[in-house]
Amino acid sequence: MTNKASQGQCPVMTTTAGNPIADNQNSQTAGPRGPVLMQDYQLIEKLAHQNRERIPERTVHAKGWGAHGTFTVTHDITRYTRAKLFSEIGKQTDIISRFSTVAGEAGAADAERDVRGFSLKFYTEEGNWDMVGNNTPVFFIRDPYKFPDFIHTQKRHPKTNLRSATAMWDYWSQSPEALHQVTILMSDRGIPKAPMFMNGYGSHTYSMINAQGERFWVKFHFKTQQGHKHFTDAESTAEIGRSRETYQEALYGTIEKGEFPQWKLYIQVMPELDAEKTPFNPFDLTKVWPHGDFPLIEVGVLELNRNPENYFQEIENAAYSPSNIVPGIGFSPDKVLQARIFSYADAHRYRLGTHYESLPVNRPKCPVHTYHKDGTMNFNPPSPNPDAYYEPNSFNGPKQDEGYSEPPLKISGDADRYNHREGNDDYSQVRALYNLFDAGQKDRLYQAMGGSMAGVPEAIVQRALGHLAKIDPSYAEGVGKVAGVAVPRMAAE
Ligand code: NDP
């Protein structure tokens, strides 16, 4: 039997209830050959905990990497927002970040071609602001009704349990609004070398409200200061052969070395009523706001400078939701944003439990005063004012403050199910991107996209090529050549 003295400075091991453990090597049995006694609670507790070590992985964005950091304001944007985190130059706010791939499971290889999640939680004095974005300024869908369908095409086939190129291209070729995102995904930026070498975008249109109560529509851009670095498909195959955990190695390693990655935050701003003047819907998640019309306005610097002490507690448990906004930052009519406001918080209630916002990594650094009561794992401290457990009350419980209200939205319409595929130009902005690529970039785009069509029925590939031809005939020709499928005549003309 060991005792504290024989263990030197080590504390005595205990059960979860704090009872000292005498033997952590040998189970308690009726004889040297067994059987095990049921009273060996320490063994039972150990096995029971192991069975519960995994929580449901995220349906999307399951594989992730992250770190703590700071955001520092470098430029004054108080004419657009009263958000306190932007109130003065030099102001710093602590953040926690999480980057991720979308489709792969928690054990997926890091360097796969996929969109990357780019999520930040700002611990402000007026509650948490979560910027739950991606490394691309657009997304595959503009109506949230299509999100589960789209994600099903990225996940495993119900019978083969394999990813299906046919499902992906069948869906994309019938959803031209996806082409902008698909082109970015298949371009050089489709496989960043590590999280430090990619941009982050809020992607959705959000709003800012200033001290005068004026609303502006806003896009958020985080530009990498490490430069863009990417793998080709061949390079990523070699990289995955070397290690499946290359992002974790790179991000963790660079911060441990004291080389802290940085991004500059910029915003694009549109006065509220100008939203009715743009030739495209500024709330459409498949569209960008051209820089020429909406120049980037510098705001500050994001720096990642501290690795988590415990990956599970600080990164896996981190729960980001676009519903977390602070006074001075608001939503927009963007339909996909509206759906995410519900679905992200709901996913965390399922994944982490009712009180997920009370976990240390999610808990705001400012006081929290709600009237929510009880529920599984409610470990919030008891109220110092126990009589005020409903509202309104006469016992000085927390009250609303109308000073935080937003101005009424000036945009409205008739409730209906509007056809999101009608009257939209799904090609011009993709063409603008395609025209930015030099010959080498175009060739790599053809290789990646044509390669991704291997095994896809010809009729589906032809349907996809028909859309690419509307972007640029050379795009369809280049991809068709790699896929070994002729561009349909109607589309090529
Ligand atoms: P600009 O020439 O002003 O901007 C082009 C943008 O494209 C830059 O932000 C650049 O990022 C980015 N870019 C370059 N290569 C890629 C790639 N392979 N994948 C994704 N983005 C890339 O043009 P516009 O603002 O008029 O936009 C033209 C097209 O550029 C858009 O249709 C859109 O596809 C793309 N784009 C536009 C953005 C926007 O917010 N306006 C943002 C990102 C892309 P960087 O400066 O970091 O090199």
Side-chain angles (χ1 to χ4, degrees), residues 137 180 187 189 199 221 223 228 289-291 429 433 436-437:
H180 200 174
S187 79
R189 292 199 184 174
N199 285 350
H221 302 250
K223 291 225 175 202
H228 293 278
W289 295 0
H291 292 130
Q429 288 203 351
L433 177 66
L436 289 175
F437 297 161

Side-chain angles (χ1 to χ4, degrees), residues 343-366:
S343 65
Y344 276 57
D346 185 57
H348 299 312
R349 285 183 202 107
Y350 162 68
R351 194 171 68 85
L352 297 166
T354 312
H355 291 285
Y356 73 93
E357 295 277 31
S358 303
L359 290 170
V361 71
N362 299 324
R363 193 165 181 81
K365 307 275 186 244
C366 66

Side-chain angles (χ1 to χ4, degrees), residues 25-46:
Q25 316 304 322
N26 306 296
S27 49
Q28 205 175 37
T29 53
R33 296 184 177 185
V36 172
L37 298 185
M38 200 162 171
Q39 71 171 22
D40 190 353
Y41 176 71
Q42 292 156 15
L43 170 68
I44 291 169
E45 180 181 273
K46 194 168 182 176

Side-chain angles (χ1 to χ4, degrees), residues 32 42 61 69 94 113 121 145 175 190 262 276 278 470 481:
Q42 292 156 15
H61 295 274
D94 289 342
R113 186 176 292 279
K121 187 183 288 294
Y145 228 95
S175 310
Q262 292 191 337
E276 284 163 7
T278 52
K470 290 184 189 164
K481 218 167 174 179

